[in-house]
């Protein structure tokens, strides 16, 4: 040790200089020194303990993962080549049975690569009594069903080796549900036949029908469909014989009711947007898939006020039901233009209670019949909507130079409807209160509301019907355009309102 240096311990010190040497004097007592030491090293101790805990957890997870992988490898090694294990129910160590995860299909385009439906031949048999009276002739077991209905879907495929067809049918509902749905198909109720249909037509065997979540059904075929090529078109008829339930929840094909005196009376109508057509019949229920439709309605003869998207081919004819106990009528309607399935619409109602006011619009040549249909007690209140629709359709054709080339335009008001209205081509369905205006009783705001909703729905004839988004996630485009254009149409139909002054740019 050199001159002037001194030994020190780990504690804080005070240096005291003398003339001959330097000494070191501790500042604190031994108790104070221990407390200071703990304060300095306590964070380090805590971090060390935490690190050890995390390390132990990682080691445990690694061991469990290794054991699980080993078990899976053992199972896979024992499974024969080319065989897929069937779904099984596994039981946890302490809990109830755990179902295996079911495969989910949300987009038909993902499951049906190459399959294109081109046409539907739909027969809907409506077992709904006119009133709730107990003496109605329709058997109780058949009431509010579509028993005896069928649909034949014409389709083709551009891909080879197609052995499954995936489409929609609502089949999974809670017990006792009053919403529209279809019964599971009986054996032999699903057939696939090569077109044109004849005694020599080739039948493709259907081996099974698989029912999945999200209203998906998969038709499994015993042999592959023949693909359509540039030179040869091969079409098939996929036919379903089905029975559905006509619900009362204002969705799908449903029954609405109203009072006539002391009687409760029924009508049948539909609300398919956005994805409710599958409740009424098996279909490819996506907005980006377009087909044509030919519809036949069979119904008790006491109804007689029937409508779909197109005009009747001929006046309603008598039809004899298989049980022969009810007098039925049959109406056959013209083929539609290509459209998404959700734009189909139906009305079956009493001719005594529901009436139509019709004008022949000079919008087209020959004249276009435009009608307002509603309860006979208030049908006169539809005159304003009828006048508005003529002016609106003229402005729409003038602005966009796109003719309305359907054979008719019906606007029907029904008592029960979830939406304000739906823009079905040829048959726009409204909530009754949204379509009717009574001069001297209804307010100015109600009058403006009728004009607005008629303008909005008729603008959908272009933005939504003629131009349709591929998927529901983009439906805001339809609604956005229609919500803007409705103001321009209102301005044309009611120039004294100054609707354009609500906008800086119009």
């Amino acid at each position: 040790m050199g001159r002037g240096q001194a030994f020190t311990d780990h504690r804080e010190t005070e240096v005291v200089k003398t003339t001959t040497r330097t000494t070191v004097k501790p500042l604190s007592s031994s108790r104070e020194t221990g407390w200071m030491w703990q304060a300095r090293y306590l964070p380090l101790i805590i971090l060390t303990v935490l690190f050890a805990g995390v390390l132990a957890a990682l080691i445990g997870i690694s061991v469990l993962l290794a054991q699980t992988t080993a078990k899976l490898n053992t199972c896979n090694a024992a499974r024969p080549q080319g065989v897929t294990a069937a779904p099984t129910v596994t039981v946890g160590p302490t809990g109830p049975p755990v179902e295996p995860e079911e495969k989910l299909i949300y987009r038909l385009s993902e499951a049906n690569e190459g399959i294109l439906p081109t046409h539907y031949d739909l027969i809907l048999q409506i077992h709904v009594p006119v009133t709730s009276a107990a003496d109605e002739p329709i058997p109780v077991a058949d009431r509010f069903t579509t028993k005896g209905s069928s649909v034949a879907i014409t389709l083709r495929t551009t891909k080879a080796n197609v052995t499954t067809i995936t489409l929609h049918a609502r089949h999974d509902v809670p017990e006792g549900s009053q919403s529209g749905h279809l019964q599971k198909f009986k054996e032999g109720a699903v057939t696939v036949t090569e077109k044109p249909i004849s005694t020599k037509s080739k039948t493709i065997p259907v081996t099974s029908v698989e029912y999945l979540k999200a209203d998906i059904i998969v038709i499994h075929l015993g042999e592959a469909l023949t693909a359509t090529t540039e030179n040869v078109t091969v079409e098939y008829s996929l036919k379903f014989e089905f029975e559905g339930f006509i619900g009362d929840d204002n969705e799908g094909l449903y029954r609405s009711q109203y009072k006539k005196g002391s009687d409760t009376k029924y009508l049948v109508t539909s609300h398919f947007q956005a994805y409710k057509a599958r409740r009424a019949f098996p279909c490819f229920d996506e907005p980006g898939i377009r087909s044509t439709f030919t519809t036949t309605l069979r119904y008790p003869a006491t109804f007689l006020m029937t409508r779909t998207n197109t005009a009747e081919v001929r006046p309603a004819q008598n039809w004899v039901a298989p049980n022969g106990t009810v007098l039925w009528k049959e109406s056959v309607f013209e083929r539609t233009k290509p459209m998404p399935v959700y734009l189909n619409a139906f009305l079956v109602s009493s001719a005594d209670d529901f009436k139509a006011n019709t004008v022949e619009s000079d919008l087209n040549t020959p004249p276009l019949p435009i009608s307002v249909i509603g309860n006979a007690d208030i049908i006169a209140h539809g005159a304003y909507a009828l006048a508005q629709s003529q002016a609106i359709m003229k402005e729409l054709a003038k602005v966009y130079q796109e003719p309305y080339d359907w054979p008719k335009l019906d606007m029907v008001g029904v008592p029960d409807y979830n939406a304000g209205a739906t823009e079905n081509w040829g048959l726009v369905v409204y909530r009754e209160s949204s379509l009717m205006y009574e001069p001297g009783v209804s307010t100015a705001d109600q009058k403006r509301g009728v004009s607005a909703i008629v303008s909005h729905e008729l603008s959908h004839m272009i933005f939504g019907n003629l131009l349709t988004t591929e998927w529901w996630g983009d439906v805001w485009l339809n609604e956005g355009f229609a919500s803007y254009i409705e103001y321009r149409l209102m301005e044309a139909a009611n120039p004294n309102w100054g609707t354009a002054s609500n906008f800086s740019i119009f």
Side-chain angles (χ1 to χ4, degrees):
M1 183 172 60
R3 187 179 177 91
Q5 295 181 342
F7 290 104
T8 60
D9 61 17
H10 61 274
R11 295 172 292 179
E12 294 187 29
T13 60
E14 177 184 23
V15 178
V16 181
K17 292 186 179 180
T18 66
T19 54
T20 57
R21 63 179 180 181
T22 300
T23 61
V24 178
K25 177 182 178 183
L27 289 177
S28 60
S29 66
S30 61
R31 179 176 297 177
E32 291 174 330
T33 300
W35 182 86
M36 294 297 293
W37 183 90
Q38 292 173 7
R40 174 178 294 178
Y41 289 98
L42 185 58
L44 181 61
I45 295 172
I46 293 174
L47 289 175
T48 303
V49 172
L50 289 176
F51 177 77
V54 171
L55 184 61
L58 290 174
I59 292 172
I61 292 172
S62 300
V63 171
L64 289 175
L65 183 61
Q67 290 175 348
T68 303
T69 303
K71 288 180 181 179
L72 290 175
N73 290 337
T74 301
C75 293
N76 290 333
R79 184 183 302 162
Q81 292 294 322
V83 178
T84 302
T88 57
V89 176
T90 58
V91 180
T94 57
V98 179
E99 293 290 344
E101 186 175 338
E102 184 178 352
K103 62 181 178 182
L104 296 176
I105 299 172
Y106 291 109
R107 297 285 291 267
L108 295 184
S109 56
E110 298 172 358
N112 277 337
E113 187 178 3
I115 292 180
L116 175 67
T118 58
H119 181 70
Y120 291 70
D121 282 300
L122 175 64
I123 298 175
L124 278 178
Q125 191 165 331
I126 308 296
H127 296 263
V128 172
V130 173
T131 72
S132 59
D135 59 351
E136 280 285 344
I138 294 179
V140 174
D142 294 343
R143 289 187 184 184
F144 309 127
T145 72
T146 56
K147 185 178 181 180
S149 297
S150 67
V151 62
I153 307 173
T154 300
L155 55 83
R156 67 184 68 157
T157 176
T158 57
K159 299 289 185 180
N161 301 318
V162 170
T163 57
T164 61
I165 305 172
T166 303
L167 65 163
H168 293 108
R170 190 177 194 229
H171 53 81
D172 186 17
V173 295
E175 186 71 26
S177 171
Q178 291 299 299
S179 64
H181 61 274
L182 304 177
Q183 302 291 338
K184 291 188 175 181
F185 307 107
K186 297 178 181 178
E187 185 175 353
V190 184
T191 57
V192 178
T193 308
E194 188 172 304
K195 296 188 75 173
I197 305 296
S198 70
T199 55
K200 298 181 180 179
S201 297
K202 180 181 179 180
T203 299
I204 307 299
V206 175
T207 58
S208 65
V209 178
E210 186 179 7
Y211 298 87
L212 304 179
K213 292 181 179 179
D215 304 330
I216 293 289
I217 60 172
V218 182
I219 311 302
H220 293 270
L221 307 176
E223 61 182 82
L225 302 179
T226 302
T228 288
T229 65
E230 291 183 1
N231 301 320
V232 180
T233 299
V234 182
E235 292 187 320
Y236 295 89
S237 175
L238 170 60
K239 185 175 182 179
F240 297 87
E241 295 175 355
F242 66 91
E243 175 181 343
F245 179 72
I246 301 174
D248 62 357
D249 60 348
N250 301 354
E251 293 185 333
L253 184 70
Y254 72 93
R255 64 185 189 269
S256 179
Q257 64 185 46
Y258 56 96
K259 284 287 188 180
K260 200 72 172 179
S262 59
D263 292 334
T264 297
K265 308 194 77 172
Y266 296 107
L267 63 85
V268 176
T269 188
S270 59
H271 184 194
F272 288 165
Q273 193 182 40
Y275 44 83
K276 306 293 172 33
R278 65 191 69 177
R279 298 184 177 205
F281 56 94
C283 57
F284 294 79
D285 195 7
E286 291 186 1
I289 301 175
R290 287 177 173 259
S291 308
T292 55
F293 297 82
T294 300
T295 299
T296 299
L297 295 178
R298 293 172 180 164
Y299 48 91
T302 44
F303 279 111
L304 280 182
M305 169 63 80
T306 57
R307 292 288 194 277
T308 67
N309 304 76
T310 55
E312 285 185 284
V313 172
R314 51 172 170 72
Q317 304 289 310
N318 291 334
W319 181 75
V320 180
N323 59 20
T325 60
V326 182
L327 178 60
W328 291 76
K329 290 287 186 179
E330 180 183 82
S331 295
V332 181
F333 296 86
E334 295 174 355
R335 189 186 189 107
T336 70
K337 299 181 184 301
M339 65 180 187
V341 68
Y342 78 88
L343 289 178
N344 279 277
F346 311 100
L347 173 69
V348 178
S349 60
S350 167
D352 293 331
D353 298 338
F354 270 65
K355 302 294 183 182
N357 281 345
T358 304
V359 295
E360 298 290 330
S361 170
D362 59 359
L363 179 67
N364 292 351
T365 304
L368 172 71
I370 302 178
S371 301
V372 168
I373 303 169
N375 193 305
D377 294 338
I378 59 172
I379 188 61
H381 304 163
Y384 176 67
L386 190 59
Q388 288 285 294
S389 65
Q390 297 176 72
I392 289 166
M393 290 298 288
K394 287 182 179 179
E395 179 68 11
L396 199 61
K398 173 186 172 183
V399 172
Y400 294 102
Q401 297 295 302
E402 188 63 48
Y404 179 83
D405 55 356
W406 284 65
K408 67 178 180 68
L409 174 59
D410 291 336
M411 300 189 297
V412 57
V414 297
D416 305 309
Y417 203 68
N418 280 349
T422 305
E423 64 272 15
N424 316 297
W425 240 337
L427 181 58
V428 185
V429 182
Y430 293 79
R431 187 186 303 148
E432 193 175 78
S433 59
S434 298
L435 189 63
M436 303 299 174
Y437 167 76
E438 185 178 3
V441 176
S442 302
T443 66
D445 192 53
Q446 288 172 319
K447 184 177 185 179
R448 184 182 180 281
V450 171
S451 179
I453 197 167
V454 172
S455 297
H456 184 94
E457 299 308 320
L458 296 186
S459 68
H460 274 309
M461 298 300 113
I462 294 178
F463 300 106
N465 297 3
L466 190 63
L467 304 172
T468 308
T469 57
E470 190 174 74
W471 190 247
W472 296 115
D474 299 318
V475 75
W476 62 272
L477 286 168
N478 298 353
E479 296 302 328
F481 277 111
S483 295
Y484 170 69
I485 297 304
E486 74 179 64
Y487 291 101
R488 177 161 188 166
L489 301 179
M490 288 172 64
E491 172 76 9
N494 308 277
N496 59 322
W497 285 4
T499 305
S501 63
N502 295 330
F503 298 86
S504 300
I505 300 176
F506 193 69

